[in-house]
Amino acid sequence: MSYMELARIKADNLISARHARILAIESSCDETAAAIVEDGRTVLSNVIASQVETHALYGGVVPEIASRQHIEACDAVVQRALDDANVRLSDLDAIAVTYGPGLVGALLVGVSCAKALAYGANLPLIPVNHIEGHICANYIAHADLEPPFICLVASGGHSHVVEVTDYGEYRLRGNTLDDAAGEAFDKAARVLSIPYPGGPLLDKLAWEGNPNALALPKPRLEGRYDFSFSGLKTALINRVHQLHQAGQDVPAADIAASFRKAVVDQLVSKALLAAREHGAKALAVAGGVAANSLLRQELTEGAQKLRIPCYMPPLSLCTDNAAMIGSAAFWQLLRGELAALDLNAEPGLELPV
């Protein structure tokens, strides 16, 4: 009997039982992560090996270095996840892995590791979309959260307004037309000489400044729920250059506060507009930018005005991690979505809608 035939039989049994203990692997950027997740909501272990200190030397992620460090870390991270959960490979029901979007070399390391484990242990292999994983982080953090709801996805590479109609079923309502929110924060931080990782440090600095100190443009967009951040970034760069040319000090805290306010205003207004116009019963936020303190505050206040609950993951589940991949994998497993051993990385993968 072939690997896929065995995997399908095991998957069918898991679907009937609606129970699975899944080892998930995440390596889409600069964190090597592994987690053991039961039934999409219970995390038995969640291990992350960060490369922040390495890439800080270069002011950003260097893809080739990230890939090499994933190779060095993957086995140890997987073993630590098993040890922390007090389980063996033979105790698992399936293997899950992020196969896109992300850095192609980094993704290939995780995909190769997952395929080897799945084949060696005769376990079903579940391919997970990284963006979907971020959304599913909320299922881990909030046992009462169920579709349908509106979710704002904001990260270094993506900014979406997503209507979650069911587990694993999505309608893309809004999208960024240029930079993602996290990318915009990182670029602004670099202009202000804030060290890598710039986004979280800019958020901290912004609390010391005046958010109305710098007037920034408001984009006019045809899409009611779309975003644009390139104009904000250009206006900030021009203002900093003007100050340098005039020999004046750059009020970094004021500029950071003004830029943060402009980005957050866009994210919050579009998410709340979608929630209101689509009659959402709940609002959620996901992705690395979901850790932004002003965004969390304003989304919570906005949802209260709409009289709907606002769900957000703890900070530990906002950034890249494998627990969210294990959660997403469970719902895919229940739909019978498995991968064969020819699974490849897809760096430009989009959210399935």
Side-chain angles (χ1 to χ4, degrees):
M1 190 176 292
S2 70
Y3 161 76
M4 280 306 297
E5 289 172 329
L6 286 171
R8 178 58 62 185
I9 291 172
K10 290 185 178 181
D12 288 344
N13 291 333
L14 296 171
I15 293 170
S16 297
R18 297 188 65 84
H19 168 76
R21 180 181 292 170
I22 298 173
L23 165 63
I25 297 172
E26 154 64 30
S27 66
S28 62
C29 191
D30 62 336
E31 279 94 14
T32 313
I36 310 294
V37 181
E38 280 189 345
D39 304 339
R41 293 189 185 261
T42 303
V43 178
L44 303 183
S45 64
N46 190 23
V47 180
I48 301 174
S50 176
Q51 302 177 17
V52 167
E53 291 185 5
T54 298
H55 297 289
L57 298 172
Y58 308 97
V61 176
V62 181
E64 177 63 20
I65 293 175
S67 302
R68 291 178 180 274
Q69 291 209 351
H70 284 311
I71 293 172
E72 295 173 1
C74 196
D75 286 351
V77 167
V78 167
Q79 187 60 57
R80 175 68 182 275
L82 292 169
D83 292 343
D84 286 358
N86 195 28
V87 299
R88 296 170 295 180
L89 199 58
S90 58
D91 297 321
L92 301 175
D93 298 307
I95 306 292
V97 64
T98 301
Y99 75 111
L103 304 175
V104 63
L107 289 166
L108 281 170
V109 176
V111 168
S112 298
C113 181
K115 289 196 294 187
L117 288 169
Y119 179 73
N122 278 322
L123 293 174
L125 177 64
I126 306 170
V128 178
N129 183 302
H130 180 79
I131 305 171
E132 186 172 3
H134 275 303
I135 295 172
C136 292
N138 283 289
Y139 295 138
I140 295 171
H142 305 286
D144 61 327
L145 176 61
E146 294 183 351
F149 58 90
I150 291 290
C151 186
L152 170 66
V153 180
S155 68
H158 304 88
S159 293
H160 302 316
V161 174
V162 179
E163 183 180 5
V164 183
T165 58
D166 202 348
Y167 293 106
E169 296 182 8
Y170 309 99
R171 292 175 184 165
L172 185 61
R173 295 299 185 182
N175 196 12
T176 180
L177 303 183
D178 38 61
D179 292 349
E183 180 184 6
F185 276 131
D186 287 341
K187 289 180 178 178
R190 191 174 298 119
V191 172
L192 294 173
S193 299
I194 298 172
Y196 176 85
L201 296 177
L202 184 148
D203 182 32
K204 183 178 180 180
L205 177 64
W207 288 114
E208 302 174 14
N210 176 6
N212 300 310
L214 177 63
L216 291 169
K218 293 183 178 180
R220 296 181 179 180
L221 306 172
E222 292 184 5
R224 293 181 61 78
Y225 314 122
D226 288 338
F227 309 103
S228 174
F229 301 109
S230 63
L232 301 178
K233 178 192 66 180
T234 300
L236 180 146
I237 292 172
N238 288 340
R239 181 54 181 156
V240 171
H241 284 175
Q242 289 169 1
L243 291 169
H244 283 313
Q245 290 168 356
Q248 300 177 17
D249 292 335
V250 175
D254 286 346
I255 293 177
S258 300
F259 188 81
R260 183 183 66 167
K261 181 179 184 297
V263 172
V264 168
D265 282 352
Q266 267 201 73
L267 293 172
V268 171
S269 63
K270 297 304 179 74
L272 293 176
L273 178 64
R276 182 171 63 251
E277 293 190 342
H278 292 281
K281 296 181 180 180
L283 176 66
V285 61
V289 180
N292 184 280
S293 56
L294 182 64
L295 178 64
R296 295 171 79 90
Q297 174 182 305
E298 302 231 343
L299 273 179
T300 300
E301 293 174 356
Q304 287 175 345
K305 292 178 181 178
L306 293 180
R307 297 184 178 181
I308 60 175
C310 182
Y311 297 95
M312 51 190 69
L315 300 186
S316 60
L317 293 179
C318 290
T319 51
D320 293 349
N321 64 89
M324 68 184 194
I325 303 304
S327 177
F330 178 71
W331 313 113
Q332 285 186 232
L333 174 65
L334 295 185
R335 298 192 301 274
E337 298 176 3
L338 305 181
L341 293 176
D342 60 355
L343 177 67
N344 201 359
E346 295 190 22
L349 187 68
E350 297 183 354
L351 187 71
V353 292

